[in-house]
Amino acid sequence: MAKVSPMEIYRLLPGTNCKECGEVSCMAFASALIERKRTIEDCHPLLDEKYRDKRKKLEAILTPPVKEIVIGSGSKAVKIGGEEVMYRHELTYFNPTALFFDVHDEMSSDEISERITRIDHFIITRIGQDLRLNGVAIRSRSGDPTKFGEVVLSVMERTDLPLAICALDPELLEIALEIAVDRRPLIYAATRDNWEKVGKLALDHKCPLVASSPGDMQGLLDLSQDLLDMGLSELVLDIGSYPLGDRYGQMLENLAALRRMAIERNLNLVGFPLIGVPMVAWQIEKDDVKASMMEATLAATQMLRYCDILILHSLETWSILPILTLRQNIYTDPRVPIQVDPGVYTIGNPDEESPVLMTTNFALTYYTVAADLEASKVDCHLIVVDTEGLAVEPAMAGGKLTASLVKDVIVSSKVKDLVKHRKIIIPGMAARISGEIEEATGWEVMVGPLDSSRIGGYLDQNWTVS
Amino acid sequence: MRLEDLISSLVDAEELELDNVEIDVDELILELKQSPPMFIPRAKKVLKEKERIKFEHPIKEYKGSIAEVQIGATRSEGGTREKVVKIGGQTTLYQYEGGHKNRPVVSYDVFDLEMPSFAKALREVWQDYWSSPAEWAKEAVKRGADMITIHLISTDPKIKDTSPREAAKTVEEVLQAVKVPLVIGGSGNPEKDPLVFEKAAEVAEGEMCLIASANLDLDYKRVVEAANKYGHNVLSWTSMDINDQKTLNKLLLECGLPKERMVMDPTTGALGYGIEYTFTLIERMKDSALKGDEDLQNPISCGVTNAWAAREAWMNEPRWGPREYRGPLWETITALTVLSAGADVMMMLHPTAVNIVKNVISSKSGEVDSPEFKYEDWLKI
Ligand code: B12
Ligand code: SF4
């Protein structure tokens, strides 16, 4: 769909420009559909029976080549897949890889409590975004249906995160599904051996289903076809996960091939999200640190090779942090850097004698600086210049941080009403334009340190109001 | 299909056509229940084996290819290296398409100075070798270096202003100490670097080093001349801008640098600090090169060591967990990201990260067997 033009979409819309969708015209709505800022449902007139055929066509055009699948219910439900391009530069990636963490039915209830609390409450705030974990994968280790049912129940009592229910025995899956069906869990997995029964379970319970064919691409195509023929439409594909070694290499190549077949060859059989299980690292690595490292390594490469959902084990912050960061980076829309609004921000409890500092509106820059200021317990006013989302250094190099922009924000933010002095501290990297800023604004410019982590010490030495 | 099913499907059939069916029985008696007049009707119900889509790797045709660059020369080639490195030479995007003959390599960074600003995890590994770049390089080879990058940062007038002659001596020492190919790095000072490179290139004559780097801020012509005169490769380095990269590449080739002597460096942003730019830039560069853009058909080198500038890699922050694991993992994942995008050389620092990355590389080349292992057993861990 990345390749359709707004005109093609426009032709299928009512064309009345009634604005009910919230866009100024049908043409604007067409563009919004392409950028996925709107969905077909937003155009109410289109629901009219007379537009049935057009609507159908639209749906077909707008369905991404990798189907979007929802796991879970309620506000924490997670969407995976829905991708339209192989490479970020062709548009953007849409749904960040969902990270599920495992528990099993032989863990003590304390252990389960502890893990669930950790998974549920885990949060890291990076550049203004809350990075979280997305779900719990419950696996049957014992093979005992009663135990499995119990653990599913106990997880459901403790969290409303989405679930994956993991076992190969249809009997086990059935028990778990009876309990968890309202949560719309992901079922793991249909295989060559069990697909008829497990496929029927998925059909009866209307839940998304993993089709698993480790290391065997033909097997995966056949399995997918059989499941689709049964009437299933929400699959997640599993080509197996392998720790280092030749099969790991093949796995990466297979993942890339699957995504290319879906996106560039429009092969519906494989137009589904892909799953990886980095926790296989724990099968061969017994040492906790080494296993966590290997797991993170696998997770990163699988995420970079199109996996839309991963099942992990290690809950160590040091091993999760880089994975969450990578996900945040890769799923950032390349068309728009993450930005904060220009203007004046309050750090701590500043008063009219507190310093005024200046930085740019690139989110990474703003939050780095804000975190440094908070860490050194500085009370101040921080003014943010609109550099179109560029960091200080690139903005300086690209001429996007200028004295007149600084002046604009000083005026528009009315920072002069907040303080009685007229001094502004600029980043060390912006030293080159300090004279120009003084001239343009009439404020006294102080050049701060190069790195914002040193602002605390700098202020202790240099800041006086008089 | 069971025979009973076949028969029962005949009950209300007017016609029957068997297509693509093998009947494997000793004796077949078709008892048709219909009473006379009896005739075999023509086909209407078509019984078919399910048609299956055959898996084939989705292979594409590419117009362009990446130049193959050799770094290091053996005795017979006019140098003294025991191992040489060949990078690039790809004719396809993916390995499964058959066009990857060389594997990516790791070059360890070695500095001609003490590095007290190193993160603790790096200091612990390398501080015993600070006094001697040659010893440092030897240790790096023991720890798996395919190449060594000697950074002559002491030549910066603002640091120690080491003379080009002295810097060249360091290069000689490192060349003698190790048998792997060498990357010769400057200090980044645009006035001084060309002078340093000239001397270094001279003492390393014939060794086919990689001179790092030529960029738009310095007299790249002099760098290319030195490289050509003494038989070296040149790194074409720009700051995250594909158009700058094309411009510089063109300029270097116009100065007479042979295409198979040029490597590119589009600048590596660390994980969490711009890696998405690098990742996408490399993917775009490879894509354009293979589609035929002649200005980008060279292998790519990445300064993965930049990972250590990220706070998450070095800062003592208990909420993030122990930094002795966090740092190496940060470097590892930075490396794997550029590797995944298509990097050919990764300049790195921490042995744990290097080990993992080299393992990934040999796994991708199919050189090491996977451990004995049943995938679905993860359910039972
Ligand atoms: C990512 C990046 C980019 C991205 C920009 C992403 C973005 N949204 O900003 C892109 C690819 C777009 C880019 C483009 C360019 N870049 Co660029 N880029 C980088 C890179 C890798 C990281 C920058 C970054 O994100 N830093 C992190 C943020 C947090 O840093 P920061 O905003 O500067 O904030 C720090 C300090 O300034 C200070 N600080 C900030 N605010 C305040 C406030 C106060 C009061 C104080 C005291 C301190 C302070 O503390 C912060 C934390 O340390 C750097 C190399 C590097 N340094 O690693 C090159 C770099 C900055 N880029 C460079 C260049 C040349 C460019 C381009 C001109 C390239 C080109 N030829 O087009 C363009 C310019 C942009 C344009 N086209 O208009 C050069 C600049 C060289 C120079 N000094 O002149 C660098 C250094 C690379 C290099 N070594 O050559 N770049
Ligand atoms: S609601 Fe539909 S018909 Fe009305 S303007 Fe929007 S797109 Fe056009």
Side-chain angles (χ1 to χ4, degrees):
Chain A
M1 148 186 159
K3 282 110 203 161
V4 299
S5 71
M7 201 56 213
E8 279 171 73
I9 305 281
Y10 174 79
R11 283 199 206 103
L12 298 169
L13 292 172
T16 58
N17 298 332
C18 73
K19 302 193 177 134
E20 245 184 82
C21 55
E23 298 289 334
V24 294
S25 65
C26 292
M27 196 64 193
F29 184 70
S31 301
L33 278 180
I34 291 182
E35 284 164 33
R36 296 236 306 237
K37 288 181 188 143
R38 299 267 177 191
T39 60
I40 303 180
E41 286 71 38
D42 294 331
C43 170
H44 298 292
L46 202 57
L47 287 171
D48 196 311
E49 200 38 42
K50 68 180 171 198
Y51 295 124
R52 226 186 113 193
D53 288 352
K54 287 189 164 183
R55 191 184 146 92
K56 276 234 162 86
K57 268 192 204 149
L58 260 182
E59 271 167 10
I61 296 183
L62 292 172
T63 303
V66 176
K67 184 158 189 165
E68 184 171 85
I69 282 173
V70 179
I71 306 169
S73 57
S75 64
K76 289 193 176 160
V78 62
K79 280 188 210 156
I80 60 171
E83 300 301 340
E84 311 202 350
V85 292
M86 293 287 290
Y87 308 105
R88 287 175 77 238
H89 62 262
E90 295 175 314
L91 186 67
T92 183
Y93 293 157
F94 289 94
N95 293 315
T97 307
L99 304 177
F100 279 52
F101 288 76
D102 82 309
V103 296
H104 65 71
D105 62 356
E106 288 179 336
M107 281 179 180
S108 70
S109 95
D110 284 353
E111 202 178 342
I112 289 183
S113 269
E114 209 180 292
R115 279 183 73 84
I116 297 294
T117 311
R118 177 104 175 112
I119 299 167
D120 212 346
H121 296 284
F122 192 99
I123 179 165
I124 293 229
T125 306
R126 272 195 99 254
I127 51 171
Q129 296 183 337
D130 290 340
L131 312 181
R132 294 176 185 274
L133 314 182
N134 307 96
V136 182
I138 312 169
R139 55 195 172 95
S140 164
R141 190 178 193 227
S142 68
D144 175 347
T146 317
K147 276 193 175 166
F148 195 40
E150 275 167 12
V151 73
V152 172
L153 251 179
S154 92
V155 171
M156 284 169 61
E157 280 162 8
R158 291 177 164 93
T159 179
D160 49 7
L161 281 174
L163 308 177
I165 284 172
C166 313
L168 297 181
D169 177 351
E171 205 184 316
L172 291 168
L173 290 173
E174 181 161 14
I175 293 257
L177 276 171
E178 293 298 329
I179 298 168
V181 62
D182 292 342
R183 295 286 198 91
R184 207 183 140 73
L186 175 67
I187 307 171
Y188 186 100
T191 65
R192 216 59 220 104
D193 298 329
N194 70 11
W195 67 273
E196 285 172 295
K197 286 192 179 144
V198 174
K200 179 142 191 326
L201 282 176
L203 208 55
D204 293 346
H205 294 87
K206 299 194 176 60
C207 288
L209 172 65
V210 176
S212 178
S213 171
D216 175 7
M217 292 285 267
Q218 183 65 55
L220 189 61
L221 295 193
D222 293 350
L223 183 57
S224 169
Q225 170 149 33
D226 287 335
L227 293 168
L228 294 180
D229 287 352
M230 272 181 94
L232 286 163
S233 61
E234 298 184 295
L235 301 182
V236 174
L237 307 179
D238 179 20
I239 191 65
S241 292
Y242 300 90
L244 300 182
D246 51 350
R247 291 159 84 188
Y248 165 83
Q250 280 157 20
M251 168 195 78
L252 294 181
E253 295 283 303
N254 283 338
L255 289 169
L258 282 169
R259 193 46 54 97
R260 181 183 266 184
M261 285 152 70
I263 289 180
E264 296 182 355
R265 302 282 154 98
N266 287 313
L267 184 59
N268 294 335
L269 280 188
V270 293
F272 294 102
L274 304 170
I275 187 171
V277 185
M279 72 168 280
V280 296
W282 296 81
Q283 265 167 273
I284 56 162
E285 205 45 91
K286 301 295 172 226
D287 174 76
D288 282 6
V289 169
K290 285 189 183 155
S292 297
M293 280 259 183
M294 185 189 269
E295 182 181 66
T297 304
L298 243 173
T301 44
Q302 288 183 322
M303 192 188 296
L304 291 161
R305 275 286 173 262
Y306 307 112
C307 280
D308 302 284
I309 173 170
L310 299 176
I311 296 179
L312 300 120
H313 177 72
S314 176
L315 283 167
E316 296 287 346
T317 310
W318 64 267
S319 74
I320 299 177
L321 181 62
I323 300 170
L324 286 172
T325 306
L326 180 63
R327 178 176 75 174
Q328 181 184 36
N329 288 168
I330 297 299
Y331 283 88
T332 292
D333 188 336
R335 299 167 297 181
V336 252
I338 309 179
Q339 302 180 23
V340 295
D341 293 331
V344 63
Y345 290 78
T346 300
I347 308 279
N349 295 305
D351 57 27
E352 53 186 16
E353 302 212 334
S354 303
V356 173
L357 281 71
M358 181 270 272
T359 191
T360 74
N361 76 330
F362 181 38
L364 177 62
T365 300
Y366 171 80
Y367 286 105
T368 308
V369 174
D372 282 337
L373 291 170
E374 273 153 22
S376 33
K377 308 218 164 13
V378 172
D379 299 312
C380 68
H381 307 279
L382 182 58
I383 61 171
V384 171
V385 180
D386 184 0
T387 52
E388 296 167 31
L390 285 178
V392 177
E393 217 182 351
M396 283 300 295
K400 290 276 159 50
L401 177 55
T402 63
S404 79
L405 283 172
V406 178
K407 183 185 167 192
D408 288 351
V409 70
I410 286 185
V411 172
S412 66
S413 69
K414 304 202 173 75
V415 63
K416 71 174 182 6
D417 301 341
L418 301 176
V419 291
K420 55 182 197 195
H421 63 81
R422 293 289 176 266
K423 288 187 198 175
I424 179 171
I425 301 169
I426 65 168
M429 304 271 193
R432 203 152 41 77
I433 56 168
S434 63
E436 292 160 37
I437 298 177
E438 281 200 342
E439 229 166 82
T441 62
W443 285 48
E444 180 189 334
V445 172
M446 298 168 66
V447 177
L450 290 175
D451 192 310
S452 53
S453 62
R454 300 207 312 272
I455 294 180
Y458 170 86
L459 289 176
D460 288 345
Q461 290 199 351
N462 298 289
W463 181 253
T464 51
V465 177
S466 52
Chain B
M1 175 175 271
R2 289 178 319 150
L3 199 55
E4 289 90 319
D5 298 339
L6 175 70
I7 306 290
S8 68
S9 71
L10 282 175
V11 171
D12 49 18
E14 287 175 15
E15 299 165 353
L16 169 71
E17 183 182 294
L18 296 177
D19 186 20
N20 215 358
V21 174
E22 251 178 54
I23 298 177
D24 193 13
V25 284
D26 293 336
E27 194 181 357
L28 176 70
I29 303 169
L30 277 179
E31 253 185 22
L32 299 171
K33 286 194 181 134
Q34 242 168 355
S35 46
M38 213 186 105
F39 60 95
I40 301 278
R42 280 179 304 128
K44 219 179 212 170
K45 267 215 172 144
V46 179
L47 302 174
K48 263 196 186 165
E49 266 290 300
K50 199 178 231 175
E51 260 186 50
R52 294 286 191 182
I53 293 187
K54 265 231 145 55
F55 169 68
E56 271 168 41
H57 275 111
I59 295 198
K60 283 216 255 190
E61 294 278 328
Y62 300 91
K63 276 196 232 139
S65 61
I66 313 286
E68 182 176 71
V69 175
Q70 175 174 341
I71 307 174
T74 60
R75 280 196 190 281
S76 64
E77 292 165 329
T80 60
R81 305 297 88 195
E82 273 169 17
K83 283 189 200 149
V84 305
V85 157
K86 284 186 182 171
I87 52 171
Q90 296 91 337
T91 56
T92 62
L93 196 54
Y94 294 109
Q95 205 173 315
Y96 70 72
E97 298 177 278
H100 289 214
K101 55 176 165 175
N102 297 312
R103 23 183 284 180
V105 295
V106 172
S107 185
Y108 262 102
D109 287 321
V110 169
F111 296 85
D112 69 344
L113 262 190
E114 301 203 343
M115 299 299 286
S117 62
F118 265 15
K120 187 158 172 268
L122 293 173
R123 271 204 314 269
E124 275 166 7
V125 183
W126 298 116
Q127 64 188 353
D128 291 349
Y129 305 94
W130 280 345
S131 50
S132 157
E135 291 305 313
W136 186 339
K138 264 193 201 162
E139 183 61 21
V141 170
K142 275 192 210 144
R143 290 177 180 266
D146 298 309
M147 297 200 284
I148 296 290
T149 304
I150 171 72
H151 294 278
L152 302 166
I153 52 174
S154 75
T155 58
D156 190 323
K158 279 185 270 165
I159 299 179
K160 249 174 132 183
D161 206 11
T162 307
S163 71
R165 192 168 298 278
E166 243 178 288
K169 242 176 50 221
T170 305
V171 171
E172 269 184 313
E173 281 164 21
V174 176
L175 274 170
Q176 264 158 29
V178 298
K179 293 294 166 210
V180 298
L182 212 61
V183 182
I184 301 172
S187 68
N189 181 295
E191 279 77 44
K192 187 79 175 281
D193 273 357
L195 311 177
V196 173
F197 292 147
E198 272 169 3
K199 278 283 166 249
E202 188 181 341
V203 298
E205 178 162 15
E207 297 283 10
M208 262 203 211
C209 301
L210 174 63
I211 297 179
S213 57
N215 58 63
L216 288 163
D217 294 336
L218 53 65
D219 189 351
Y220 51 81
K221 220 170 163 174
R222 277 181 83 162
V223 180
V224 171
E225 271 162 19
N228 281 351
K229 186 163 172 199
Y230 302 110
H232 301 292
N233 303 289
V234 174
L235 187 66
S236 168
W237 173 48
T238 54
S239 300
M240 294 194 165
D241 184 303
I242 198 164
N243 293 320
D244 279 5
Q245 189 71 59
K246 286 174 60 129
T247 306
L248 181 60
N249 289 357
K250 244 199 242 162
L251 289 169
L252 298 184
L253 298 179
E254 276 166 19
C255 292
L257 184 69
K259 191 169 180 180
E260 54 298 333
R261 289 275 175 106
M262 184 166 76
V263 180
M264 316 184 274
D265 179 352
T267 299
T268 301
L271 176 60
Y273 297 85
I275 201 164
E276 67 275 31
Y277 292 97
T278 309
F279 176 74
T280 288
L281 205 53
I282 298 177
E283 287 198 332
R284 271 181 75 188
M285 283 159 65
K286 286 267 153 159
D287 185 42
S288 305
L290 290 169
K291 280 184 179 148
D293 187 336
E294 298 196 1
D295 300 333
L296 292 167
Q297 294 172 335
N298 290 83
I300 296 170
S301 170
C302 285
V304 169
T305 300
N306 284 350
W308 290 95
R311 289 156 193 239
E312 288 87 340
W314 57 264
M315 207 148 98
N316 188 9
E317 169 57 75
R319 280 183 311 143
W320 289 341
R323 58 176 165 172
E324 66 261 40
Y325 309 139
R326 215 198 303 136
L329 189 58
W330 210 262
E331 185 179 3
T332 304
I333 293 189
T334 302
L336 294 175
T337 307
V338 296
L339 182 67
S340 182
D344 300 277
V345 179
M346 280 153 291
M347 304 209 180
M348 301 183 62
L349 260 177
H350 199 284
T352 304
V354 170
N355 268 340
I356 299 178
V357 169
K358 291 202 65 166
N359 243 318
V360 166
I361 294 171
S362 30
S363 299
K364 281 185 164 188
S365 331
E367 277 167 26
V368 279
D369 293 339
S370 288
E372 215 20 72
F373 166 89
K374 238 175 111 200
Y375 167 56
E376 51 277 21
D377 286 352
W378 73 268
L379 291 164
K380 304 281 174 205
I381 296 174

